Amino acid sequence: MPNFCAAPNCTRKSTQSDLAFFRFPRDPERCRIWVENCRRADLEAKTSDQLNKHYRLCAKHFDPAMVCKTSPYRTVLKDTAIPTIFDLTSHLKNPHTRHRKRIKELTEEDIRKIKERRLASSIEQLVSKKDTAVEDSTSTNEDEPQLSTEEKEFREYLRSLFEVMVMLGKQSIPLEANKASEAEHKSNNFQALLDYRMNSGDEALKKRFEATALNTEYLSAAQQSQLLDVCENTVREEMLMEVRESRFFSLVTGDLVEFAGEKHLPLFLRFVNQQNVLREEFLDFVPFDGDESALVERLEAQLTDRWGLSMEECRGQAHKATGTSTTKMKAVAVLLMEKYPLALHMPCSHMALNIHLANSLPFPSVQVVMETLRRIGAFFSTPFTQDELERAISTHYQKNEEKGSALKQTCGPGWTEQHNVFDVLLDLLPPLLLCMDTIRDNVDGTFADAVVTDAYSIAEILADFEIVVTIVILKNVLTFTRAFGRNLNGETLDVFFAANSLTAVLHSLNEVSDNIEVYHEFWYEEAVSVATVAEIPVTIPRLFLRKQRAADVVEIQAEVYFKEYVTVPVIRGIMQEVEDMFSETNLKALKCLSLVPAVMGQMKFNTTEENYAEVYRNDLPNPDTLPAELHCWRIKWKHRGKEVRLPTTIHETLQLPDVKFFPNVNSFLKVLSTLPVLKLEDNKTDMASDRLQVYLNSVPVNQWNKSLIMLNVNTHVKHDLDVMVDKYCRLYPEDDPEAEGECEEAAEEDATK
């Protein structure tokens, strides 16, 4: 049965709000003050027990400092909490409305008595303040159990352990150090830090380990694992509390990470927090084994059963997949949308659209190109290899220094992830091969053997004519989506216009498909020209020729082969992916961005959000009043003062103090903000996906630890050591000193027998 708020002019109930509801206190004096502040005449005759049993006040009527959240599922009031925030006037605007909760009109005598009681209460508080302070110093809260000296020392000891664990995670320090030699055992960084703390005067650790023999482990691997689990779960729960409060979220997955012999899927959640700031946080790794259905069930179980979220509140999904995992993740997205139609599948704002489209194509030659691009990006991440590439560019373009200089600037860090990556790769192909040949020769011994091996492997792939043709086809086909993709990764206004330009993009792709013979002829000639400059022979793949000879089929011409096996599949695959990623529902959602005032202004305030709002009708607090509210919203901005600037982003709009007077618009913008295609607007800190990648790049694979990764990526999240200690004591009571004492006594009794 729902709880209703007893305050006048308050219609909140527990089924419509995440607010906490509090019973009237049983203490007669405190209960009388609550009733007095409520100004409910009908409650004055009721006893404190009756009020405690049948009446509630919601948290909105208390100062926030009086409300304490002791856990994600429990909110309590301070013992001295008194409700002080009430609406006692709004009913006057509509005097004909019937009110069940009648407000008592105070006479002068009532006001005088209230003042006298409050004055007397203040004097009593001042008199008893010293006594209370003394009592507080000698006694503990009745609700909290009295801790023995051993238990206090044990908690201090645990606090020191958790402090070390958190520091290991923040500083990317693995638990185990690398082997110095086969004969030498691995030193434990955790144990070394405990030694350092004890030498620095940590009394809690000293008391615990003063009798421990030298060179023995202070904690077993199992105990270390328990500490890490508690750290990880505590940090995750802090973020999940914010997600639950925000209600709506989007699901984002990263590229596969392989450790402990298994592939894992990084899982991120995007949401708008209580400060109306868009956040995207790393929550966990999900095992990638099994088929698509098994992975969907695993994701659902993680989000709903373990984390207490509802997939019905998921408003978007994006999957940053590469290689062979792309097909599986596309199937996962389809299955999730079948179950939850509003979990719209969209491109991820972290990735250029053209990169996403190329990654989505399941053809071997395209996947080889995309994997090679990732390898090239990693290969030239060091100054030595980058300098060698720039020298090769200068050598190749010595007769065209202007183009050479432009190419050097273009191929800086991150060029393999840009919208125009295939254009740059074609211009860079001859000097790139020259650079790889120089590194392979390694005349001066500048480069390590591993670098030379990588250079040889990359050069062999790029010197294949099939790869050259694939790069040329990708460059030309994705030219039609490049401007669209740039807008999609741009500001709110750019995204809105991108959604309205999709028809033109599809029209261009259809025109290419209808005239594929003509287009392919030009593109094939371009591929042959590039291959000639790079001294790459024009050939059909050896494997295909062998199969053809075995089947005794007439030999196919190279131009015909590449049209049937590269050009046609690529153009069809790109068209299909664009149509899937930007379905009618997705476009309706993006066109609702016209709610942002700057977009309204660009459209001369002639926008029609009502036509697209049906998608999110059930997410609005008062959907029936939406048309009238939208009209007022437009009028507000259309007739603003000349000095008032139109907010350009959802983030700016949500920060406006008067947006709360437009509850439907406010909710609408929060839902839209979670869509994964929109870029994160608060760029003060790196994205969680970037922080994760930095950790994976900086720490050796054999030293990755899931819990330490969670701590490292989420260093900005509050690390409450006391909460960790409490959680550990609840989960592992067998480690409690009293339990240990009982075991020792039992052992002594057995020995005497």
Side-chain angles (χ1 to χ4, degrees), residues 389-403:
L389 177 61
E390 291 183 4
R391 281 193 287 270
I393 292 173
S394 299
T395 302
H396 182 78
Y397 287 104
Q398 55 187 341
K399 294 182 180 179
N400 191 347
E401 293 183 1
E402 185 178 348
K403 184 172 183 179

mmCIF file of all heavy atoms in Angstrom, residues 389-403:
data_model
loop_
_atom_site.group_PDB
_atom_site.id
_atom_site.type_symbol
_atom_site.label_atom_id
_atom_site.label_comp_id
_atom_site.label_asym_id
_atom_site.label_seq_id
_atom_site.Cartn_x
_atom_site.Cartn_y
_atom_site.Cartn_z
ATOM 1 N N LEU A 389 58.752 8.015 -39.456
ATOM 2 C CA LEU A 389 57.660 8.221 -40.416
ATOM 3 C C LEU A 389 57.737 9.614 -41.027
ATOM 4 O O LEU A 389 57.562 9.780 -42.248
ATOM 5 C CB LEU A 389 56.310 8.023 -39.715
ATOM 6 C CG LEU A 389 55.064 8.286 -40.574
ATOM 7 C CD1 LEU A 389 55.023 7.341 -41.778
ATOM 8 C CD2 LEU A 389 53.798 8.145 -39.752
ATOM 9 N N GLU A 390 58.016 10.622 -40.222
ATOM 10 C CA GLU A 390 58.093 11.993 -40.741
ATOM 11 C C GLU A 390 59.263 12.142 -41.706
ATOM 12 O O GLU A 390 59.160 12.868 -42.709
ATOM 13 C CB GLU A 390 58.210 12.982 -39.573
ATOM 14 C CG GLU A 390 56.921 13.068 -38.754
ATOM 15 C CD GLU A 390 57.006 14.087 -37.643
ATOM 16 O OE1 GLU A 390 58.045 14.788 -37.556
ATOM 17 O OE2 GLU A 390 56.046 14.192 -36.849
ATOM 18 N N ARG A 391 60.362 11.451 -41.443
ATOM 19 C CA ARG A 391 61.492 11.484 -42.381
ATOM 20 C C ARG A 391 61.102 10.827 -43.706
ATOM 21 O O ARG A 391 61.473 11.310 -44.794
ATOM 22 C CB ARG A 391 62.710 10.780 -41.777
ATOM 23 C CG ARG A 391 63.472 11.623 -40.775
ATOM 24 C CD ARG A 391 64.826 11.019 -40.443
ATOM 25 N NE ARG A 391 64.686 9.834 -39.605
ATOM 26 C CZ ARG A 391 64.670 9.863 -38.278
ATOM 27 N NH1 ARG A 391 64.767 11.012 -37.638
ATOM 28 N NH2 ARG A 391 64.554 8.745 -37.586
ATOM 29 N N ALA A 392 60.352 9.732 -43.630
ATOM 30 C CA ALA A 392 59.913 9.050 -44.853
ATOM 31 C C ALA A 392 58.956 9.941 -45.655
ATOM 32 O O ALA A 392 59.008 9.961 -46.897
ATOM 33 C CB ALA A 392 59.237 7.730 -44.497
ATOM 34 N N ILE A 393 58.085 10.687 -44.966
ATOM 35 C CA ILE A 393 57.167 11.609 -45.653
ATOM 36 C C ILE A 393 57.966 12.695 -46.369
ATOM 37 O O ILE A 393 57.685 13.042 -47.532
ATOM 38 C CB ILE A 393 56.188 12.234 -44.639
ATOM 39 C CG1 ILE A 393 55.227 11.168 -44.101
ATOM 40 C CG2 ILE A 393 55.388 13.368 -45.293
ATOM 41 C CD1 ILE A 393 54.338 11.653 -42.967
ATOM 42 N N SER A 394 58.975 13.243 -45.696
ATOM 43 C CA SER A 394 59.813 14.288 -46.308
ATOM 44 C C SER A 394 60.531 13.756 -47.536
ATOM 45 O O SER A 394 60.643 14.444 -48.564
ATOM 46 C CB SER A 394 60.833 14.809 -45.289
ATOM 47 O OG SER A 394 60.183 15.380 -44.179
ATOM 48 N N THR A 395 61.014 12.515 -47.457
ATOM 49 C CA THR A 395 61.727 11.912 -48.591
ATOM 50 C C THR A 395 60.795 11.698 -49.771
ATOM 51 O O THR A 395 61.140 12.029 -50.923
ATOM 52 C CB THR A 395 62.345 10.567 -48.167
ATOM 53 O OG1 THR A 395 63.226 10.770 -47.070
ATOM 54 C CG2 THR A 395 63.094 9.923 -49.331
ATOM 55 N N HIS A 396 59.610 11.155 -49.518
ATOM 56 C CA HIS A 396 58.687 10.843 -50.617
ATOM 57 C C HIS A 396 58.109 12.106 -51.246
ATOM 58 O O HIS A 396 57.925 12.167 -52.473
ATOM 59 C CB HIS A 396 57.551 9.953 -50.108
ATOM 60 C CG HIS A 396 56.591 9.553 -51.181
ATOM 61 N ND1 HIS A 396 56.874 8.553 -52.097
ATOM 62 C CD2 HIS A 396 55.352 10.026 -51.503
ATOM 63 C CE1 HIS A 396 55.849 8.417 -52.921
ATOM 64 N NE2 HIS A 396 54.910 9.303 -52.592
ATOM 65 N N TYR A 397 57.820 13.108 -50.423
ATOM 66 C CA TYR A 397 57.182 14.330 -50.937
ATOM 67 C C TYR A 397 58.180 15.492 -51.028
ATOM 68 O O TYR A 397 57.805 16.650 -50.861
ATOM 69 C CB TYR A 397 56.018 14.734 -50.029
ATOM 70 C CG TYR A 397 54.806 13.840 -50.167
ATOM 71 C CD1 TYR A 397 54.518 12.886 -49.188
ATOM 72 C CD2 TYR A 397 53.960 13.933 -51.259
ATOM 73 C CE1 TYR A 397 53.408 12.054 -49.305
ATOM 74 C CE2 TYR A 397 52.845 13.104 -51.390
ATOM 75 C CZ TYR A 397 52.577 12.167 -50.404
ATOM 76 O OH TYR A 397 51.478 11.340 -50.528
ATOM 77 N N GLN A 398 59.446 15.184 -51.355
ATOM 78 C CA GLN A 398 60.443 16.246 -51.424
ATOM 79 C C GLN A 398 60.172 17.230 -52.555
ATOM 80 O O GLN A 398 60.607 18.380 -52.514
ATOM 81 C CB GLN A 398 61.845 15.650 -51.567
ATOM 82 C CG GLN A 398 62.026 14.702 -52.746
ATOM 83 C CD GLN A 398 63.387 14.034 -52.715
ATOM 84 O OE1 GLN A 398 64.305 14.515 -52.045
ATOM 85 N NE2 GLN A 398 63.543 12.936 -53.434
ATOM 86 N N LYS A 399 59.426 16.788 -53.578
ATOM 87 C CA LYS A 399 59.065 17.692 -54.672
ATOM 88 C C LYS A 399 57.746 18.422 -54.404
ATOM 89 O O LYS A 399 57.327 19.259 -55.204
ATOM 90 C CB LYS A 399 58.961 16.908 -55.977
ATOM 91 C CG LYS A 399 60.292 16.324 -56.447
ATOM 92 C CD LYS A 399 60.132 15.596 -57.768
ATOM 93 C CE LYS A 399 61.467 15.023 -58.237
ATOM 94 N NZ LYS A 399 61.320 14.288 -59.533
ATOM 95 N N ASN A 400 57.094 18.065 -53.336
ATOM 96 C CA ASN A 400 55.828 18.715 -52.960
ATOM 97 C C ASN A 400 55.847 18.924 -51.447
ATOM 98 O O ASN A 400 55.142 18.248 -50.698
ATOM 99 C CB ASN A 400 54.638 17.846 -53.385
ATOM 100 C CG ASN A 400 53.314 18.577 -53.266
ATOM 101 O OD1 ASN A 400 53.232 19.643 -52.645
ATOM 102 N ND2 ASN A 400 52.262 18.008 -53.836
ATOM 103 N N GLU A 401 56.684 19.881 -51.021
ATOM 104 C CA GLU A 401 56.897 20.098 -49.587
ATOM 105 C C GLU A 401 55.617 20.534 -48.869
ATOM 106 O O GLU A 401 55.408 20.207 -47.699
ATOM 107 C CB GLU A 401 57.995 21.144 -49.381
ATOM 108 C CG GLU A 401 59.373 20.668 -49.825
ATOM 109 C CD GLU A 401 60.443 21.698 -49.537
ATOM 110 O OE1 GLU A 401 60.092 22.766 -48.964
ATOM 111 O OE2 GLU A 401 61.613 21.438 -49.875
ATOM 112 N N GLU A 402 54.761 21.265 -49.583
ATOM 113 C CA GLU A 402 53.521 21.733 -48.962
ATOM 114 C C GLU A 402 52.630 20.560 -48.558
ATOM 115 O O GLU A 402 52.110 20.516 -47.431
ATOM 116 C CB GLU A 402 52.770 22.646 -49.929
ATOM 117 C CG GLU A 402 51.525 23.281 -49.320
ATOM 118 C CD GLU A 402 50.830 24.227 -50.278
ATOM 119 O OE1 GLU A 402 51.413 24.573 -51.324
ATOM 120 O OE2 GLU A 402 49.679 24.616 -49.977
ATOM 121 N N LYS A 403 52.494 19.581 -49.467
ATOM 122 C CA LYS A 403 51.685 18.413 -49.140
ATOM 123 C C LYS A 403 52.344 17.578 -48.054
ATOM 124 O O LYS A 403 51.678 17.025 -47.169
ATOM 125 C CB LYS A 403 51.448 17.563 -50.384
ATOM 126 C CG LYS A 403 50.520 16.385 -50.128
ATOM 127 C CD LYS A 403 50.127 15.665 -51.403
ATOM 128 C CE LYS A 403 49.147 14.541 -51.083
ATOM 129 N NZ LYS A 403 48.706 13.827 -52.318
#
